[in-house]
Structure formats: C-alpha cells, structure tokens
Amino acid sequence: MAASAPAPHTTDFPAEGRCSYYVEKKRRFCRMVVAAGKRFCGEHAGAAEEENARKRILCPLDPKHTVYEDQLAKHLKKCNSREKPKPDFFIQDINAGLKDGTEKPEQLVPISSLSEEQLENLIKKLRKASEGLNSTLKDQIMSHPALHDALNDPKNGDSATKHLKQQASILGNIEKLKLLGPRRCFVEFGAGKGKLSHWVDIALKDAEKVHFILVEKVTTRFKVDGKHRKKNSVFERLQIDIQHLCLNKIPLLSKEKLPVVGIGKHLCGVATGSLLLKKRRK
C-alpha cells in the first residue's frame, strides 16, 4: 500500500523574522523569533546544515526544551526553570491540606494497586464523608457578548471554538454571580497563556481599578497578558505552584485591599480543592 503524501503546508513561507522549521504536527511553521542572519530558532537549529555539527540535548532542569551541549553550563545559570529565591508569598505546602504526623510517603499507593475489598472500603468511607453534602451539580452553560465576534470567526478550528465556548460560559457565569465589575482583583489559577483574564478584561472594557494576578506553575510562551500593558488594567504574573501560594502575602492584594475573585479554566494539582475551599469559606 502506498504511503500517504505529507500534508500540504498551510503557507508557503514562514513569517518574516520567524523560524523556517515546519512543524508537521501543527501544520504550520514554528513561530519563534530567529537571530539576525539565521533561518532557524535555537530549538530547531539542528535543522540547519551549518549547525548540524553541534549537538543539542534535553535541558536537565526542564526536558521540554533543548540546549547546545557545549553551552549547557552557561544555559543552567539563566534557564527559566532554575531554582530562584522564594518570594514572601511562598509558604511550603500551605494549601496541601492537613497532614497526619504519622503519615509516611511510602504509605501512599495508587488506587490501581488496591484489592477489590480495599476499594469497597474506600468507597464506603467516601460516601460516609460526603453524607449531607449537596453534591448534585447542575450544568450552567452560558455565553457572553464579549466573545461574540471571536466565536463567529470563520477561521476558528475545532480546538479554538471549544476553548472560546468554555471561556464565554465562564464569563457568563461570573456575570450571573454579579462578580464581573470594577474595583476588584481577579486571580486566575492555572493561567497558562492568560486568555481567560484577557476576555474578562475585554468584558469589563474601561472599568476602573481592575487588577489581574495570573498564577502559573511553569514558564509559558505566547502569553496574551502583554497585550494589556498600555491599558488601565494592571496585570501581574506569578510563577508558583498554588500548593505553596499564600494569597494574603501577595503585595498587590495586601496593598490595594480589593475584593478577590478567583477564576480558572483548567486547574489541577495538589492544592486545587483546599485552596478553593478556603476561598469559599472566607
């Protein structure tokens, strides 16, 4: 059976000043900026004939990117994933929940390793712990006019449409709860590129005294919060795991004393439940 032909490029040439490496999986050219006189970014420099003699290896601090082996020592000193001084709002495991003093790491085992009897006992304990709680969740799929044009853009693919619908629904629910307004601080947990805060800011238009704190565990490329630097809204990004984040010690929150609205579209990890529970109780 003949092999299928490679997918055609969505554009014949890369954008000016951008990498010439074509990413087959994404069916587009790499969007990273290249150095003067180069055709490829550092990540794809191995594709250039003149660079083939130099070996690139995975960064030991973050295997999501690579580095020239002969420049590893220099790279480790400035890598974004290197150990940095802890800010005041970093408190080890503050949101990790109560710990049993006798609990040892080796006592923790994956659910898949439990026997049928152990699973039944665990289910009984969970049901007993949740007795009396209103655990019935009702779907509240909504929308918001701030995303009307974006949602109807014919250039959207399935993935873009899915994310826009989710963001529109979150904005609709925030507005329904009367939390979408001026003189408050929105804290986006698991912010990623910051698109949810971006749409909240657009929905608020020129509302006065609005602050955004974007919390993300890892370094993120193509962040959209940079688009708002010339506007009245204040955007601040914190690179920290919410497991160790103490909101009371964030300078912006302690100084401005604004009401805080916690938002998020994709949030997971150790502190998800305990952090949101604390916010709900306050």
Side-chain angles (χ1 to χ4, degrees):
M1 185 174 179
S4 58
H9 291 191
T10 54
T11 179
D12 292 332
F13 301 99
E16 184 177 355
R18 303 289 173 166
C19 180
S20 296
Y21 184 83
Y22 187 77
V23 186
E24 290 291 347
K25 183 178 180 180
K26 297 183 179 180
R27 301 181 67 184
R28 62 167 173 77
F29 285 98
C30 171
R31 295 172 179 166
M32 293 297 290
V33 178
V34 297
K38 300 289 184 180
R39 292 181 56 230
F40 299 89
C41 67
E43 190 69 19
H44 299 121
E49 292 180 1
E50 66 272 20
E51 301 287 356
N52 276 344
R54 301 177 69 191
K55 182 181 178 182
R56 291 188 72 86
I57 60 174
L58 295 177
C59 173
L61 299 179
D62 180 6
K64 292 181 180 179
H65 66 273
T66 61
V67 60
Y68 283 119
E69 188 174 31
D70 57 7
Q71 291 185 343
L72 178 60
K74 180 180 179 181
H75 171 79
L76 293 178
K77 294 178 180 179
K78 60 180 182 180
C79 179
N80 287 330
S81 298
R82 71 188 184 280
E83 187 73 18
K84 302 179 182 71
K86 298 292 189 293
D88 291 340
F89 49 79
F90 179 98
I91 298 181
Q92 186 73 34
D93 294 330
I94 187 172
N95 298 311
L98 297 176
K99 291 186 176 180
D100 184 347
T102 62
E103 183 182 281
K104 298 179 181 179
E106 57 265 26
Q107 292 177 319
L108 302 177
V109 295
I111 292 180
S112 59
S113 67
L114 299 180
S115 66
E116 184 175 347
E117 182 181 357
Q118 289 173 317
L119 280 173
E120 288 178 353
N121 288 334
L122 177 59
I123 292 172
K124 289 178 181 178
K125 289 180 180 179
L126 290 173
R127 284 176 174 169
K128 184 176 181 180
S130 60
E131 284 179 0
L133 296 178
N134 182 13
S135 57
T136 302
L137 299 178
K138 182 181 178 181
D139 286 339
Q140 295 282 353
I141 300 175
M142 305 182 73
S143 192
H144 195 279
L147 286 91
H148 179 269
D149 291 342
L151 282 167
N152 290 282
D153 188 339
K155 296 180 181 179
N156 289 338
D158 291 341
S159 178
T161 300
K162 177 188 72 174
H163 290 295
L164 287 168
K165 285 182 177 179
Q166 291 171 348
Q167 290 154 353
S169 182
I170 292 173
L171 256 69
N173 278 280
I174 294 175
E175 188 168 56
K176 181 180 179 181
L177 294 170
K178 302 187 185 303
L179 297 175
L180 195 63
R183 295 179 294 280
R184 64 200 64 196
C185 180
F186 293 89
V187 181
E188 182 179 355
F189 298 101
K193 297 178 182 179
K195 288 189 175 180
L196 181 56
S197 291
H198 165 78
W199 288 114
V200 170
D201 186 55
I202 291 203
L204 289 171
K205 297 181 179 178
D206 295 320
E208 62 177 5
K209 206 156 184 150
V210 178
H211 296 260
F212 293 90
I213 296 178
L214 285 68
V215 182
E216 178 54 59
K217 180 180 177 180
V218 298
T219 303
T220 307
R221 294 178 177 178
F222 309 119
K223 299 181 285 289
V224 298
D225 32 303
K227 297 180 180 179
H228 301 271
R229 289 175 182 170
K230 295 182 180 179
K231 298 187 64 179
N232 296 328
S233 303
V234 177
F235 280 75
E236 181 177 351
R237 183 172 282 267
L238 306 180
Q239 186 176 336
I240 185 174
D241 191 321
I242 61 173
Q243 177 178 347
H244 315 299
L245 174 63
C246 179
L247 291 174
N248 293 335
K249 291 186 176 294
I250 296 176
L252 178 63
L253 295 182
S254 58
K255 177 183 177 182
E256 297 293 337
K257 306 293 184 184
L258 292 171
V260 176
V261 180
I263 60 177
K265 188 170 84 72
H266 185 169
L267 183 61
C268 58
V270 173
T272 304
S274 60
L275 181 61
L276 297 182
L277 182 58
K278 285 181 180 180
K279 292 301 296 176
R280 193 178 296 117
R281 285 174 175 170
K282 288 183 178 180

